[in-house]
Amino acid sequence: MVKIATVCMAADPRDKVVNRNNMIAYIEKAAEQGVDLIVFPESILTGVGTVGMQQFNSEDKLAIQKMAELVPEGESTQIFVELAKKYDMYICWGMAERNPERFDATHNVSVLVGPEGYLGKYRKVHLPLCERLYHYPGFGDYPVFDTRIGKIGLEICYDKCFPEVSRTLALKGAQIILGPICWPNMTGSLDDPDHLVHVTFSHARAMENMIFYVDANHCGPHMGGHSQIVGPNPGQLLATTGFDEGMAVAEVDIEGEMNRARIFSMGGSDLLRDRKAGTYGEVTKFNEFNPVWGGRVGEE
């Protein structure tokens, strides 16, 4: 059995140390409960600015740039590495990463550390709204990391709107996909369209790949909260925080629940095994409505 925690919290837009200390408090709380993996929201360490990503704010961009750190050499990653070793725990969080080649270039990254030390990072590929004015996108390597609790894949927020991302992670063997988010809710209602998209996509990504999906969201004004742990079986919401700040914990049987999904939930129909990859060429073709290649430079 694996004990997973997901945190819902707000980020101070100007004080990285405050954010880090709040994160450490949750890590210590999770350690008291014997948690194996804790997941924090997107950009929780360095914040998303004062107006979110729906607008561009020059002062916010400058503040984020100043708070950005190298990964893994930066102070915060090293602090969380030591905590992961101390508490025998995997820790995933979001932050702004400074590109080592250019002081003014940053990336929205998710970082994973564990008892073994630094495991890796993922640079967000799909940048919505004004976020593309704050950060540079990643190349789409979509990493999966071997850990003692299972194979963990990383994506970030808007990425989950594109099923190709989680499918790629699942095809690489991911059993747990971590998707830190900063998802809005302008009305504060469970019927808000943003809330329905957030919850529905997390469930869809889990079910269509028959894996576990964990997201962690911000709380506060106009934020959606509801950090959640979703299982691979239909309607399997294992834990959620609701709108308010807090931590939700679930103890899960990774292989057992995946087996139940892939053997029993659809009468033996395994959605990865039954794929017909050779028929999906249209998915990756360029066209006039989606002409920009988002992969590595030099690739065709």
Side-chain angles (χ1 to χ4, degrees):
M1 300 293 286
V2 174
K3 190 171 282 191
I4 300 173
T6 182
V7 175
C8 180
M9 61 180 283
D12 188 304
R14 295 290 189 268
D15 199 327
K16 175 173 60 178
V17 175
V18 166
N19 297 331
R20 190 167 64 205
N21 287 339
N22 289 341
M23 294 167 67
I24 291 172
Y26 275 109
I27 291 169
E28 292 171 344
K29 181 179 179 181
E32 292 173 356
Q33 299 183 41
V35 164
D36 299 293
L37 165 67
I38 185 169
V39 185
F40 290 97
E42 174 186 19
S43 299
I44 194 63
L45 179 66
T46 47
V48 294
T50 59
V51 295
M53 294 299 164
Q54 287 81 12
Q55 303 175 53
F56 176 73
N57 182 292
S58 299
E59 293 300 323
D60 283 348
K61 180 169 182 175
L62 182 61
I64 291 170
Q65 182 190 108
K66 288 181 176 179
M67 288 188 288
E69 299 182 12
L70 295 173
V71 177
E73 305 95 319
E75 177 186 25
S76 295
T77 300
Q78 292 305 309
I79 287 173
F80 289 126
V81 164
E82 292 307 311
L83 289 168
K85 292 178 179 179
K86 177 180 179 180
Y87 294 120
D88 196 30
M89 183 189 303
Y90 293 95
I91 304 169
C92 177
W93 74 95
M95 62 179 285
E97 177 201 14
R98 180 164 61 87
N99 190 298
E101 303 299 324
R102 277 184 54 178
F103 80 94
D104 61 338
T106 62
H107 304 275
N108 181 341
V109 302
S110 180
V111 186
L112 181 65
V113 300
E116 310 94 320
Y118 170 74
L119 293 174
K121 66 187 176 187
Y122 162 68
R123 291 175 172 173
K124 185 177 181 180
V125 170
H126 300 91
L127 304 180
L129 304 172
C130 292
E131 187 177 1
R132 66 197 71 187
L133 302 178
Y134 288 85
H135 300 296
Y136 286 81
F139 283 143
D141 46 354
Y142 304 128
V144 175
F145 304 98
D146 281 305
T147 76
R148 71 154 191 260
I149 64 173
K151 295 184 177 182
I152 297 176
L154 301 180
E155 63 179 46
I156 301 173
C157 201
Y158 191 42
D159 288 329
K160 77 173 175 178
C161 297
F162 302 89
E164 297 87 352
V165 178
S166 56
R167 178 53 54 87
T168 299
L169 293 169
L171 291 173
K172 288 183 173 182
Q175 298 166 295
I176 311 166
I177 294 178
L178 309 183
I181 62 176
C182 183
W183 209 278
N185 183 317
M186 303 308 292
T187 66
S189 166
L190 294 178
D191 294 323
D192 186 278
D194 284 322
H195 175 77
L196 297 174
V197 169
H198 155 41
V199 172
T200 300
F201 277 175
S202 291
H203 278 269
R205 300 297 85 88
M207 286 188 291
E208 71 194 3
N209 294 296
M210 297 177 159
I211 49 83
F212 287 83
Y213 194 97
V214 184
D215 58 46
N217 198 12
H218 291 240
C219 62
H222 306 305
M223 294 310 305
H226 290 85
S227 300
Q228 55 187 354
I229 302 168
V230 182
N233 290 282
Q236 196 174 22
L237 178 61
L238 300 169
T240 184
T241 60
F243 280 112
D244 297 329
E245 178 170 343
M247 180 174 72
V249 179
E251 191 168 21
V252 301
D253 178 355
I254 301 295
E255 293 183 357
E257 290 299 329
M258 289 179 65
N259 260 338
R260 187 157 73 93
R262 297 180 181 190
I263 297 174
F264 297 102
S265 70
M266 295 184 64
S269 296
D270 183 325
L271 298 179
L272 295 185
R273 180 199 63 205
D274 293 344
R275 292 174 66 253
K276 297 295 182 284
T279 68
Y280 308 143
E282 198 67 29
V283 173
T284 57
K285 286 182 180 178
F286 305 143
N287 61 60
E288 62 181 312
F289 305 109
N290 184 216
V292 179
W293 167 241
R296 295 182 182 276
V297 175
E299 290 185 356
E300 297 181 357

